[in-house]
Amino acid sequence: MSIRVAVAGASGYAGGELLRLLLAHPRVEIGALTAGGNVGSRLGEHHPGLTELADRELEETTVETLAGHDVVFLALPHGHSAELSDGLDGTVVIDCGADHRLEDPAAWQRWYGGPHPGSWPYGIPELPGKREELSGARRVAVPGCFPTAVSLAMAPAFSASLVEPEAVVVAATGTSGAGRALKPHLLSAEVMGSASVYGVGGAHRHTPEMIQNLTAVAGEPVRVSFTPVLAPMSRGILATCSSPLLSGVDPRGVREQYLTAYEKEPFVRLLPEGQWPQTSATIGANTLQLQVTVDVDAGRLVAVAAEDNLTKGTAGAAVQCMNLALGMPEETGLPRAGVAP
Amino acid sequence: MSIRVAVAGASGYAGGELLRLLLAHPRVEIGALTAGGNVGSRLGEHHPGLTELADRELEETTVETLAGHDVVFLALPHGHSAELSDGLDGTVVIDCGADHRLEDPAAWQRWYGGPHPGSWPYGIPELPGKREELSGARRVAVPGCFPTAVSLAMAPAFSASLVEPEAVVVAATGTSGAGRALKPHLLSAEVMGSASVYGVGGAHRHTPEMIQNLTAVAGEPVRVSFTPVLAPMSRGILATCSSPLLSGVDPRGVREQYLTAYEKEPFVRLLPEGQWPQTSATIGANTLQLQVTVDVDAGRLVAVAAEDNLTKGTAGAAVQCMNLALGMPEETGLPRAGVAP
Amino acid sequence: MSIRVAVAGASGYAGGELLRLLLAHPRVEIGALTAGGNVGSRLGEHHPGLTELADRELEETTVETLAGHDVVFLALPHGHSAELSDGLDGTVVIDCGADHRLEDPAAWQRWYGGPHPGSWPYGIPELPGKREELSGARRVAVPGCFPTAVSLAMAPAFSASLVEPEAVVVAATGTSGAGRALKPHLLSAEVMGSASVYGVGGAHRHTPEMIQNLTAVAGEPVRVSFTPVLAPMSRGILATCSSPLLSGVDPRGVREQYLTAYEKEPFVRLLPEGQWPQTSATIGANTLQLQVTVDVDAGRLVAVAAEDNLTKGTAGAAVQCMNLALGMPEETGLPRAGVAP
Amino acid sequence: MSIRVAVAGASGYAGGELLRLLLAHPRVEIGALTAGGNVGSRLGEHHPGLTELADRELEETTVETLAGHDVVFLALPHGHSAELSDGLDGTVVIDCGADHRLEDPAAWQRWYGGPHPGSWPYGIPELPGKREELSGARRVAVPGCFPTAVSLAMAPAFSASLVEPEAVVVAATGTSGAGRALKPHLLSAEVMGSASVYGVGGAHRHTPEMIQNLTAVAGEPVRVSFTPVLAPMSRGILATCSSPLLSGVDPRGVREQYLTAYEKEPFVRLLPEGQWPQTSATIGANTLQLQVTVDVDAGRLVAVAAEDNLTKGTAGAAVQCMNLALGMPEETGLPRAGVAP
């Protein structure tokens, strides 16, 4: 029997990627597509590549439109989830926005403001304990694209107590991560041929999410210095993460910890020694690629992760969580091979 | 029962795209992978995105290695097909190289030199008569990436006698079309931020293939002026084609001819009026997108086609032809939705 | 004695390129900088690369602000020139907008609407007769970026009666040509990795300007089919132009005509035989690079020109015209070497 | 009187950028151009943008060819400098290679192998004491492109004792930094749309140079963790650098230290508060742009620098040093405005 899904925010980049993946899912039937400003237009105007759905009309994002589906994906700015999900009692709601990611009300208040919308099962099944929470869940908070890369890159180091409780992260991202809003610094002539930074000095809202995840696996508070870099590419995150190696840790044992952590994970691949991640290998795939080493001179463990911010970083993770929530095999319908070159 | 396939030339770009598509094909089991200079290396060194096949070792390209499969894809430079296919009697051979595309021995001699290797059923099912030839075929010549775009863009105009027997084509291409050879003009620093031309003045080997296809649908010799443009992108062809409108042809009837030609084709999409093709909509998909209009002042019909040179332009067409050759539904395992943005 | 110049529209791309070139001009002193929506902001917010002018405040675009300079450059949307220039009697006004390019009032009415603002000396000194009109001129109409490339690519062919009076032009352009307006199709995620067309079928406003220029050199009406292609790069135009060779014309004489036309031009370079233009060679330079050949099979002369749309295509041409208008050596302060790779 | 200069390694990227800058230098006359594998070819084949020098023939790189010039620039792989410079007694030799950058013979032995070629005055005039050494020097070691960005980004923090003696650096670079060698990972189809890392874990040869520079300003050994990121752009370095803030340091005083360090430097620009560097602002310019802040939560000072790896990172610095060596004003002939967008 097919699963009937709706996508709210279908005209944006996350919405489009959700639809591309759902079209290839063997169990899914695509129901209502809703939008904000684009109500009444055809999906093909916004996503000309989604041939099969090009003539679908975008409806208003309301509880009424979304009700009656088995699963509703929310690909909306934060702040819309509570109101919509309250009215969708019988439905699995998978929120790609930030509303339900942070467990700490104080962190929510500081970074987003207003009352805490409450946290939902957190959609990185590969982190300790998360797969169990997501299995059969009725609500899922899809993580931010940067926290997925950084958490998976550093979790084994913290859970095996290889490093001191701090991390320095510099992560390059494609510009689709900023969404489809019309902002001057996202104009193509500004971006092409140029790299830039933003949110420097601890100002990016994904920072508390990284801290939450790494603190949970470390069992003690972890400090994170995070700098996002805007790179001239449409998709992809390349996160370079490092932490001081704890004195007494044998560098030769580090790889083993990472192998153990991920050897059974279908969507996390530790590369062979000597091979380093490149984002192109992950484009369009629900795959995170990873490598780790120790810089003996600098005394730091360095891990680098690559993923597609729209796929494993957002929409792929959302579908992976849907599979878990509905009790299907976790890999159902999800591509592992990237579109490269 | 699964279909066992081998890919010769697996370390190149066409080989990699074939494997990405074959991994998603519900009936295919991937057998031998062969290469030229990379024998003995792992596939993951060349295609880090092909996670599931990363540990596969590349074998030598010989008849012995390729024999015993149901289908063999050749993704090799021209000149290797005859020798290999002679020894593969019981096997469906699908050649992505140029060897068997040209029907005219004189054209072969002029453009490639040496004795004509003979022509095989030609792999654009959407051209008149081709689908019938490809159904059940044991040998298939996959077309060149440019001729696919240009032939599908202009065939309805010529078959409906809308234009004079000549065409001017300027087609931008991503650099994966040039293959993986180490050439100075393909270095990234040369290509990024720059557009250039090559093969100007009728020097590109895809020209006789366009002439052959358009002449066949026109029923009279068609002259083609073709200029390829190297654009700073990895994948994608955008072909701008125009021909003088025959006097007496009503411009308002042109769109109807194109609609009729392609309304039942799953992999050719005539866009809604006013919407023009962009290559991003076709990346990774076996889809060609198309638009047509008449420039009344200039007296020309102008058609523009977009495709992914590696997918509909090569590997996707090859799989589509395999489906036809083996009597499967033509769309089996082929994505229609592009990976965008 | 220094020349005092003002730039109206300084926060846009053409304005920024003008200022970059003027900073390097040995005779120029930069006076008022004006803008539309950005009045009161610092230039460095819009052009962080213009270090020396970063703290300059943008003033309102009025006759009062612009008066009292020796030269005023207008880098504004069309429609603003008449009102401003009427009040700038004693000043050389160089308009980078479209207002004064078209000589034919009917063409103006059709393509822009409203009353004809009158034509000014047209800023391609390399076209027959133009250098004389520009020398000592008080008003200059800087040409459109596409018409510069196309006119210089084809003028020798038409003036020497080598081809029939028609041309097919397909020109790839970087996205800075579209200016700095916030439009969805110019978002970086849309543009990178993708080629697209726009204004197909004779709809681009630069078409009548090409027709005007080529008709003038041909001495008879020339029909032009023009298709602009948006390429994933910030700067650069690569124009592929072709026309049917007149019967009886010896292809071996074509190159000679082009050599003769441009051998003394400092800013037009006919490349050595066998070398074809690439836009990177012209970035930031007031140079147009050119090659020509004959496609004997197709019966067409094919010429390809590369330029930087912001430099030789706009701001460089404007400075070149200022030099002529003020009686300085034409090359003063203008770079001929492109920034490549 | 003009200065006669020769460039060895003129067909590479650093050689080309040197020539572009030297063409605009008011005092320079360009003499011999030499190359390795490209002897006998014309410069225009390798640098089609260098119009004025296109017909120059490349000579063999020998002492005889280079002798008789006032200044010789070496843009060669390391290992060639000693032999050539030994024979150029009366000439100012400015080496863009690595041979004479490291002062410590043990560091040379570890990172490059073989006997130490000796250190020369080091070409970052903006570092304490260096300008004095470079003034009137007969030999100059041009720094590596990464060390320039990192040293200038962090020197004020170390010299003012704001941070602990360690730094974590992640720097994105355009691919021209890898030179013009034909390597598979530099092919355009591999690079475009993708970010990757290399030399991770302390393996990049620029690391000891950073350590040397920062240790000198800190007055104590500084540990550096350096990770280079290959970004899909031709030029530009964006270096994100951070160090733990020393306890007791007031974050509000940090900016003041940076202002003091660079307020008189023509080629280093500390951006206004709130504005962050982007590489496009520095393309083709001898300018480094810089911003600094403190991440209070993470307890780290974060500085980000942008430069053009070929200009301020190599050839521009070389010309700046030539100016100092010959007693000319340091800014002579050097552009400060970047070519953007």
Side-chain angles (χ1 to χ4, degrees):
Chain A
M1 210 187 68
S2 73
I3 303 155
R4 204 169 145 73
V5 309
V7 174
S11 61
Y13 290 146
E17 184 70 352
L18 275 165
L19 291 169
R20 188 181 70 83
L21 295 173
L22 293 170
L23 279 167
H25 195 289
R27 296 281 307 280
V28 160
E29 179 196 347
I30 296 174
L33 306 182
T34 80
N38 297 310
V39 171
S41 64
R42 306 278 163 182
L43 189 73
E45 299 172 34
H46 312 287
H47 300 297
L50 298 178
T51 304
E52 295 102 316
L53 301 170
D55 293 333
R56 285 290 201 87
E57 192 176 317
L58 295 176
E59 304 176 65
E60 208 175 340
T61 304
T62 63
V63 169
E64 290 66 38
T65 314
L66 298 172
H69 295 82
D70 300 307
V71 182
V72 167
F73 291 95
L74 304 179
L76 304 167
H78 76 269
H80 296 274
S81 174
E83 191 185 0
L84 291 169
S85 56
D86 279 357
L88 296 167
D89 256 6
T91 300
V92 172
V93 179
I94 298 178
D95 184 11
C96 297
D99 298 60
H100 309 287
R101 294 175 189 160
L102 295 182
E103 296 168 11
D104 178 5
W108 177 266
Q109 173 67 35
R110 173 178 168 193
W111 290 92
Y112 294 92
H116 188 220
S119 69
W120 289 356
Y122 186 78
I124 306 185
E126 297 86 355
L127 289 181
K130 297 300 180 191
R131 183 167 281 122
E132 293 69 24
E133 294 175 21
L134 293 162
S135 299
R138 308 298 294 167
R139 296 287 182 270
V140 175
V142 179
C145 50
F146 286 119
T148 298
V150 173
S151 303
L152 291 173
M154 294 303 287
F158 285 108
S159 64
S161 295
L162 304 176
V163 293
E164 292 180 26
E166 58 174 84
V168 175
V169 176
V170 180
T173 181
T175 61
S176 63
R180 215 164 186 168
L182 293 174
K183 295 175 186 165
H185 76 286
L186 296 178
L187 273 182
S188 52
E190 301 295 313
V191 168
M192 291 186 289
S194 188
S196 59
V197 285
Y198 65 103
V200 191
H204 195 287
R205 280 171 166 169
H206 283 183
T207 309
E209 202 178 330
M210 296 176 198
I211 291 173
Q212 169 179 292
N213 296 349
L214 296 179
T215 293
V217 293
E220 62 179 322
V222 176
R223 298 175 97 181
V224 176
S225 163
F226 171 51
T227 308
V229 171
L230 205 61
M233 55 194 193
S234 290
R235 292 180 176 226
I237 283 177
L238 185 83
T240 301
C241 317
S242 71
S243 296
L245 203 69
L246 272 178
S247 74
V249 169
D250 185 346
R252 291 167 298 181
V254 166
R255 186 174 175 81
E256 191 59 33
Q257 296 292 344
Y258 275 73
L259 277 171
T260 304
Y262 296 128
E263 64 189 345
K264 291 180 182 159
E265 290 296 342
F267 297 122
V268 178
R269 182 174 177 232
L270 184 67
L271 290 166
E273 278 187 88
Q275 193 173 2
W276 286 89
Q278 58 197 75
T279 58
S280 57
T282 68
I283 299 306
N286 196 48
T287 298
L288 180 137
Q289 295 202 349
L290 188 59
Q291 186 56 286
V292 65
T293 194
V294 171
D295 182 336
V296 176
D297 290 319
R300 297 182 78 90
L301 178 150
V302 186
V304 181
E307 63 168 24
D308 183 331
N309 56 300
L310 289 179
T311 320
K312 181 57 179 162
T314 306
V319 173
Q320 184 181 353
C321 291
M322 175 190 79
N323 290 343
L324 281 169
L326 300 184
M328 289 184 286
E330 196 169 330
E331 292 115 303
T332 311
L334 283 168
R336 294 171 62 195
V339 179
Chain B
M1 211 186 68
S2 73
I3 303 155
R4 204 169 145 74
V5 309
V7 173
S11 62
Y13 290 147
E17 183 71 352
L18 275 165
L19 291 169
R20 188 181 71 84
L21 296 172
L22 292 170
L23 279 168
H25 196 290
R27 295 280 309 278
V28 160
E29 178 197 345
I30 296 174
L33 307 182
T34 80
N38 297 311
V39 172
S41 64
R42 306 278 160 181
L43 190 72
E45 298 171 33
H46 311 288
H47 301 297
L50 298 179
T51 302
E52 295 102 317
L53 301 171
D55 294 333
R56 286 288 202 88
E57 193 177 316
L58 295 176
E59 303 176 66
E60 208 175 338
T61 306
T62 64
V63 169
E64 290 66 38
T65 313
L66 299 173
H69 295 82
D70 300 307
V71 181
V72 168
F73 291 95
L74 303 179
L76 304 167
H78 76 270
H80 295 273
S81 174
E83 191 186 357
L84 290 169
S85 57
D86 279 357
L88 295 167
D89 257 8
T91 300
V92 172
V93 179
I94 298 178
D95 184 10
C96 298
D99 298 61
H100 309 286
R101 294 173 188 162
L102 296 182
E103 296 168 11
D104 178 5
W108 176 266
Q109 173 67 38
R110 173 178 169 194
W111 290 90
Y112 293 91
H116 187 219
S119 69
W120 289 356
Y122 185 78
I124 306 185
E126 297 86 355
L127 288 181
K130 296 301 180 193
R131 182 167 280 123
E132 294 70 22
E133 294 175 21
L134 293 162
S135 300
R138 308 297 296 167
R139 295 288 182 268
V140 174
V142 179
C145 51
F146 286 119
T148 298
V150 173
S151 302
L152 291 172
M154 294 304 286
F158 285 108
S159 65
S161 295
L162 304 176
V163 292
E164 292 180 25
E166 58 173 86
V168 175
V169 176
V170 179
T173 181
T175 61
S176 63
R180 212 164 188 168
L182 293 174
K183 296 175 185 166
H185 76 286
L186 296 178
L187 272 181
S188 52
E190 301 295 312
V191 168
M192 291 185 290
S194 187
S196 59
V197 285
Y198 65 103
V200 191
H204 196 286
R205 279 172 165 168
H206 284 182
T207 309
E209 202 178 330
M210 297 175 196
I211 292 173
Q212 169 179 291
N213 296 348
L214 296 179
T215 293
V217 293
E220 62 179 324
V222 176
R223 298 175 98 183
V224 176
S225 163
F226 171 52
T227 308
V229 171
L230 204 61
M233 55 195 193
S234 290
R235 293 182 174 222
I237 283 178
L238 186 82
T240 301
C241 317
S242 72
S243 295
L245 203 69
L246 272 178
S247 74
V249 168
D250 185 345
R252 291 167 299 181
V254 166
R255 187 175 172 82
E256 191 59 33
Q257 295 292 344
Y258 275 73
L259 277 171
T260 305
Y262 294 129
E263 64 188 343
K264 291 180 182 159
E265 290 297 343
F267 298 122
V268 179
R269 181 171 179 235
L270 184 67
L271 290 166
E273 278 187 269
Q275 193 173 2
W276 286 88
Q278 58 197 72
T279 58
S280 57
T282 68
I283 298 307
N286 196 47
T287 299
L288 180 138
Q289 295 203 346
L290 188 60
Q291 187 55 286
V292 65
T293 194
V294 171
D295 182 336
V296 175
D297 291 318
R300 297 183 78 90
L301 177 150
V302 186
V304 180
E307 64 169 22
D308 183 331
N309 56 300
L310 289 179
T311 321
K312 182 57 179 162
T314 306
V319 173
Q320 185 181 356
C321 291
M322 176 191 78
N323 289 343
L324 281 169
L326 300 185
M328 289 183 287
E330 196 170 329
E331 293 114 303
T332 311
L334 283 168
R336 295 171 63 195
V339 180
Chain C
M1 209 186 70
S2 73
I3 303 154
R4 203 171 145 74
V5 309
V7 173
S11 61
Y13 289 147
E17 184 71 352
L18 275 165
L19 291 169
R20 188 181 70 85
L21 295 172
L22 293 169
L23 278 168
H25 195 289
R27 297 280 307 278
V28 161
E29 177 198 346
I30 296 174
L33 307 182
T34 80
N38 297 310
V39 171
S41 63
R42 305 279 160 180
L43 190 72
E45 299 172 33
H46 311 289
H47 301 298
L50 298 178
T51 303
E52 294 101 318
L53 301 170
D55 294 332
R56 285 290 201 87
E57 192 176 317
L58 295 175
E59 303 176 65
E60 209 175 339
T61 305
T62 63
V63 169
E64 290 66 36
T65 313
L66 299 172
H69 295 82
D70 299 306
V71 182
V72 168
F73 291 95
L74 304 179
L76 304 167
H78 74 270
H80 296 272
S81 173
E83 189 185 359
L84 290 169
S85 56
D86 278 357
L88 295 167
D89 257 6
T91 300
V92 171
V93 179
I94 299 180
D95 184 10
C96 297
D99 298 60
H100 309 286
R101 295 174 188 160
L102 296 182
E103 297 168 10
D104 178 5
W108 176 266
Q109 172 68 35
R110 172 178 168 193
W111 289 92
Y112 295 92
H116 188 218
S119 69
W120 289 356
Y122 185 78
I124 307 186
E126 297 87 354
L127 289 181
K130 298 300 179 193
R131 182 167 282 122
E132 293 70 21
E133 295 175 20
L134 293 161
S135 299
R138 308 296 295 166
R139 295 288 183 268
V140 175
V142 179
C145 49
F146 287 119
T148 298
V150 172
S151 303
L152 290 173
M154 295 303 287
F158 284 108
S159 64
S161 296
L162 304 176
V163 293
E164 294 180 24
E166 58 174 84
V168 175
V169 176
V170 180
T173 181
T175 61
S176 63
R180 213 163 188 169
L182 292 174
K183 295 174 185 167
H185 76 286
L186 296 178
L187 273 181
S188 52
E190 301 295 311
V191 167
M192 292 185 288
S194 189
S196 58
V197 285
Y198 64 103
V200 191
H204 196 286
R205 279 171 166 170
H206 284 181
T207 308
E209 201 178 332
M210 297 176 197
I211 291 173
Q212 169 179 292
N213 296 350
L214 297 180
T215 293
V217 292
E220 63 179 322
V222 175
R223 299 174 97 182
V224 176
S225 162
F226 171 51
T227 308
V229 171
L230 203 63
M233 54 195 194
S234 290
R235 292 180 176 226
I237 283 178
L238 185 84
T240 301
C241 317
S242 72
S243 295
L245 202 69
L246 273 178
S247 74
V249 169
D250 184 345
R252 291 167 300 182
V254 166
R255 186 175 174 83
E256 193 58 33
Q257 296 291 345
Y258 275 74
L259 277 171
T260 305
Y262 295 129
E263 64 188 343
K264 290 179 185 161
E265 290 296 344
F267 297 123
V268 179
R269 181 173 178 234
L270 184 67
L271 291 165
E273 278 187 89
Q275 194 174 1
W276 287 88
Q278 58 198 72
T279 58
S280 57
T282 68
I283 299 306
N286 197 45
T287 299
L288 180 136
Q289 295 205 347
L290 187 60
Q291 186 54 287
V292 65
T293 192
V294 171
D295 181 337
V296 175
D297 291 317
R300 298 182 78 91
L301 178 150
V302 186
V304 180
E307 64 169 23
D308 184 330
N309 55 299
L310 289 179
T311 320
K312 182 57 180 161
T314 306
V319 173
Q320 185 181 355
C321 291
M322 175 190 79
N323 290 343
L324 282 168
L326 300 185
M328 289 184 285
E330 195 171 329
E331 292 113 306
T332 311
L334 284 167
R336 294 171 64 195
V339 180
Chain D
M1 210 186 65
S2 72
I3 303 154
R4 203 170 146 73
V5 310
V7 174
S11 62
Y13 289 145
E17 183 71 353
L18 275 165
L19 291 169
R20 188 180 71 84
L21 295 172
L22 293 170
L23 279 167
H25 195 288
R27 296 280 308 279
V28 161
E29 176 197 349
I30 295 174
L33 307 181
T34 80
N38 297 311
V39 171
S41 64
R42 305 278 163 183
L43 190 73
E45 299 172 33
H46 311 287
H47 300 298
L50 298 179
T51 304
E52 293 102 318
L53 301 170
D55 294 331
R56 285 290 199 88
E57 192 177 316
L58 296 176
E59 303 175 67
E60 209 175 338
T61 305
T62 63
V63 169
E64 289 66 37
T65 314
L66 299 172
H69 295 82
D70 300 307
V71 182
V72 168
F73 291 95
L74 303 179
L76 303 168
H78 74 271
H80 296 272
S81 174
E83 190 185 359
L84 290 168
S85 57
D86 279 357
L88 296 167
D89 257 7
T91 301
V92 172
V93 179
I94 298 179
D95 184 10
C96 298
D99 298 61
H100 309 286
R101 295 173 189 161
L102 296 182
E103 297 168 11
D104 178 4
W108 176 265
Q109 173 66 37
R110 172 178 170 194
W111 289 91
Y112 293 91
H116 188 219
S119 69
W120 289 356
Y122 186 77
I124 307 186
E126 296 87 354
L127 288 181
K130 298 300 179 192
R131 182 168 281 120
E132 293 68 23
E133 295 176 22
L134 293 161
S135 299
R138 308 297 294 166
R139 296 288 182 267
V140 176
V142 179
C145 50
F146 287 119
T148 299
V150 172
S151 303
L152 291 173
M154 294 304 288
F158 284 108
S159 65
S161 296
L162 304 175
V163 293
E164 293 180 25
E166 58 173 86
V168 175
V169 176
V170 180
T173 180
T175 62
S176 63
R180 215 163 186 169
L182 293 174
K183 296 175 185 164
H185 76 286
L186 296 177
L187 273 180
S188 53
E190 301 295 312
V191 167
M192 290 186 289
S194 188
S196 59
V197 284
Y198 65 103
V200 191
H204 195 287
R205 279 171 166 169
H206 284 182
T207 308
E209 202 178 329
M210 297 176 196
I211 291 172
Q212 169 179 293
N213 296 349
L214 296 179
T215 292
V217 292
E220 62 178 323
V222 176
R223 300 174 96 183
V224 176
S225 163
F226 171 51
T227 308
V229 171
L230 203 63
M233 54 195 194
S234 289
R235 291 179 177 227
I237 283 179
L238 185 84
T240 301
C241 317
S242 71
S243 297
L245 203 69
L246 271 179
S247 74
V249 169
D250 185 346
R252 292 167 298 182
V254 167
R255 186 175 174 81
E256 192 58 33
Q257 295 292 345
Y258 275 73
L259 278 171
T260 305
Y262 295 128
E263 65 188 342
K264 291 180 184 161
E265 290 297 342
F267 297 123
V268 178
R269 181 173 179 234
L270 184 67
L271 291 166
E273 278 187 90
Q275 192 173 2
W276 287 87
Q278 57 197 75
T279 58
S280 57
T282 68
I283 299 306
N286 196 46
T287 299
L288 180 137
Q289 295 204 348
L290 187 61
Q291 187 54 287
V292 65
T293 193
V294 171
D295 181 337
V296 175
D297 291 318
R300 297 183 77 89
L301 177 150
V302 186
V304 181
E307 63 169 22
D308 184 330
N309 55 299
L310 289 179
T311 321
K312 181 58 178 160
T314 306
V319 174
Q320 184 180 355
C321 291
M322 176 191 78
N323 289 344
L324 282 169
L326 300 185
M328 289 183 286
E330 195 170 331
E331 292 114 304
T332 312
L334 284 168
R336 293 171 62 194
V339 180

